[in-house]
Each structure stands twice: as structure tokens, then as C-alpha cells.
Amino acid sequence: AQSVTQPDIHITVSEGASLELRCNYSYGATPYLFWYVQSPGQGLQLLLKYFSGDTLVQGIKGFEAEFKRSQSSFNLRKPSVHWSDAAEYFCAVGALGAGNKLTFGGGTRVLVKP
Amino acid sequence: GAVVSQHPSWVICKSGTSVKIECRSLDFQATTMFWYRQFPKQSLMLMATSNEGSKATYEQGVEKDKFLINHASLTLSTLTVTSAHPEDSSFYICSAPAGSPNTEAFFGQGTRLTVV
């Protein structure tokens, strides 16, 4: 069965500093990988996704993620964090043909210090 | 992008009553929709897969008699929490795949259910 691990429950970063959120997955086939962001009490917004091709994926809001098959990782990065990036971030894995039935990681809450 | 609308965004109900949550795909058709549940400060857990015109598929441990799912049309799936109890209080989110070949899941805004 697939699983997703986000090792960091909380991360605090200063505004303007860089951010990296870790994601490790376990999946028996070629994974579809996603990063979502959730503001309090809100639904999920897709930041970026990886299906195939270039392993460095660019997303919205200045985020990028790199797929590393050898490490089973899909870490999310942003060079310079803005206060509005404070939110909960979820990494998820899905399967081709499964209509996007997703397995989510536990989430990482990002706090941004002024 | 595709839009999924969920209604209501929040609901408070008395213990023992039933609550219906709607999930609509506004600008696309969805033969499949997914229902997730999220407890406070926790991740999303898939509850069931809603299939248009057929029975829903429930994940292990999810009571299908308690969480009734109906997918009556290509744009609407409903989740009914029957005989709700305080432990059913949670954030419920639906999603629907879109694009070709269904490569992205679009999420509703979620429903906060509080059972008192």
C-alpha cells in the first residue's frame, strides 16, 4: 500500500528566508505526486504536481519541487517566504488511472516570523 | 481550472440527527468523486469513492450505513452523515478528478460539521 511521510510537523521560518518541506513516499508503481496548501478552515489548493519528465517542477506562488526516485522523495522549496505562505502543506501520492484517489502525508504547518 | 463546490461550508446539528453534504462539479462532469475526512490538526483520510450510477466504495473502517453516499448525476455527489454523534464532528472535503486523463484532483472548500 502506498504511504506518504512528511517528517516535519511544524516549521518556523523568517519572512524572506528559504523554505524546504520534506516528503517521502512509498509506492509500488510510478507515482503521481502532488503538493497542496490549506489555509485554516479552507479546502486544498494545488501548488504543483509531478507525473513524468523533468524532475524539477515549478508551481504557483513561487514554489518548486524536485522528484528524486532514488530517494523516494518529492521535497517542496521556496527561495523567499512571504508572510502569506503561513499555512498547512500536504504532500500526496496518487496512481495513474485511479482517478486521483490520493494518499496524503500528515502535513507540515508553516509559521512565518516577521 | 475546474471548480468543485461543496455545500454547506459549515453546519451544526444535534446528536442523533442526519446531515447531508453536497459536492458539485460546476464546469465538468465527474463519474467519480472522493470523500475525505480531516480531524483537527490531522491529515486527510479517504473515506470513500463515489461512483456515478453505482454503489460507493468505502475504505476499510468506514461505516457505510453511517456515511451514505449517493452519486445521482455526473455533477453531484452527496454524503449523508446519519444519526450523527459528537465524534463525527470533523472537516469533510470532496474532490473530483478532471483533465485528461483525470490527472488532477480538484477539491471543494470543505464542510465543517459540528455535532452537539
Side-chain angles (χ1 to χ4, degrees):
Chain A
Q2 61 256 39
S3 66
V4 180
T5 302
Q6 293 179 245
D8 304 304
I9 298 175
H10 293 101
I11 284 182
T12 300
V13 60
S14 296
E15 191 168 15
S18 64
L19 174 68
E20 181 168 13
L21 304 182
R22 295 183 291 166
C23 173
N24 293 97
Y25 68 90
S26 173
Y27 197 69
T30 300
Y32 279 8
L33 294 159
F34 305 83
W35 274 100
Y36 286 89
V37 60
Q38 184 182 36
S39 296
Q42 301 294 312
L44 301 178
Q45 182 181 23
L46 179 68
L47 288 175
L48 47 79
K49 59 189 177 186
Y50 172 78
F51 295 151
S52 64
D54 192 347
T55 56
L56 185 62
V57 181
Q58 301 297 320
I60 63 171
K61 303 185 178 185
F63 285 94
E64 66 176 27
E66 186 171 12
F67 171 61
K68 293 186 177 180
R69 185 184 297 274
S70 61
Q71 298 178 19
S72 297
S73 70
F74 189 56
N75 295 346
L76 181 72
R77 298 192 293 258
K78 185 169 184 176
S80 178
V81 169
H82 187 262
W83 64 265
S84 59
D85 293 322
E88 185 92 21
Y89 291 80
F90 292 98
C91 181
V93 65
L96 172 64
N100 256 252
K101 175 177 168 179
L102 298 178
T103 298
F104 285 86
T108 299
R109 180 165 296 279
V110 173
L111 304 175
V112 180
K113 295 190 300 184
Chain B
V3 178
V4 174
S5 177
Q6 199 171 328
H7 178 81
S9 56
W10 61 270
V11 58
I12 301 173
C13 71
K14 291 185 177 180
S15 187
T17 62
S18 295
V19 173
K20 180 184 286 188
I21 302 170
E22 294 185 345
C23 180
R24 294 182 184 272
S25 56
L26 296 187
D27 49 1
F28 66 101
Q29 294 182 333
T31 57
T32 302
M33 291 185 178
F34 300 97
W35 287 96
Y36 296 84
R37 181 175 183 175
Q38 184 181 31
F39 289 107
K41 299 184 179 181
Q42 294 188 28
S43 188
L44 288 81
M45 299 297 294
L46 180 66
M47 298 175 65
T49 303
S50 174
N51 304 298
E52 188 269 335
S54 64
K55 291 183 179 180
T57 305
Y58 291 82
E59 296 299 302
Q60 189 174 6
V62 177
E63 301 174 61
K64 55 185 170 183
D65 293 333
K66 180 167 191 61
F67 299 100
L68 300 180
I69 291 174
N70 185 290
H71 197 146
S73 77
L74 287 171
T75 59
L76 174 65
S77 174
T78 60
L79 168 67
T80 300
V81 183
T82 63
S83 186
H85 288 98
E87 57 265 31
D88 298 324
S89 298
S90 189
F91 194 59
Y92 295 87
I93 309 178
C94 68
S95 77
S100 177
N102 290 343
T103 53
E104 182 172 337
F106 291 88
F107 284 83
Q109 61 268 52
T111 298
R112 169 76 58 196
L113 169 63
T114 302
V115 184
V116 298

